Amino acid sequence: MKESTSLFLLALTASLVSGFDKAMCIAAVSRCGNALQFACDEFKNDKDIVMAAVRENALALDYASPTLKSDKAVVLEAVSQTSWALLLAHEDLKSDKDFILSAIEMDAYSA
């Protein structure tokens, strides 16, 4: 079984089992950022967990809570990997001129 499939199944199973904690979730998303999609809402709203997921895969931002999709630091972390992540940001950030300029600068430095 592919590693990513194993991690998805681990995350899904763990989200259904009591006792799955923050450290276990960080371990899962650090290896496969998209495993965030299987996390409970509490973990999708935990900045440490979402940052770990986004560091592994910028597009894991898609699975973050709306609150964290509005968090400048989280979105800039994702944009530092790919400008496509900006499409996943909350509408409030997309309309923030200063934030967009910061994102453009970050993308220019990553090129």
Side-chain angles (χ1 to χ4, degrees):
M1 188 180 307
K2 293 172 96 178
E3 181 177 328
S4 61
T5 303
S6 298
L7 288 170
F8 287 139
L9 292 174
L10 168 68
L12 178 61
T13 302
S15 68
L16 300 173
V17 176
S18 63
F20 187 69
D21 65 10
K22 180 176 176 172
M24 294 169 136
C25 191
I26 288 175
V29 301
S30 293
R31 296 196 51 201
C32 181
N34 284 335
L36 183 62
Q37 68 185 300
F38 299 112
C40 64
D41 290 344
E42 176 186 350
F43 289 165
K44 289 179 181 180
N45 196 43
D46 184 293
K47 189 170 181 174
D48 295 330
I49 292 171
V50 172
M51 287 292 272
V54 165
R55 284 185 185 116
E56 197 285 319
N57 180 346
L59 300 181
L61 180 62
D62 195 27
Y63 306 114
S65 70
T67 299
L68 291 179
K69 286 182 180 181
S70 297
D71 186 290
K72 291 179 181 182
V74 172
V75 176
L76 286 176
E77 179 66 37
V79 171
S80 72
Q81 295 177 46
T82 177
S83 57
W84 288 102
L86 192 54
L87 296 172
L88 303 172
H90 192 277
E91 293 303 316
D92 291 345
L93 282 184
K94 291 180 190 177
S95 62
D96 181 331
K97 181 180 171 184
D98 293 330
F99 174 77
I100 295 298
L101 289 173
S102 296
I104 291 169
E105 285 178 9
M106 182 162 290
D107 188 50
Y109 291 126
S110 67

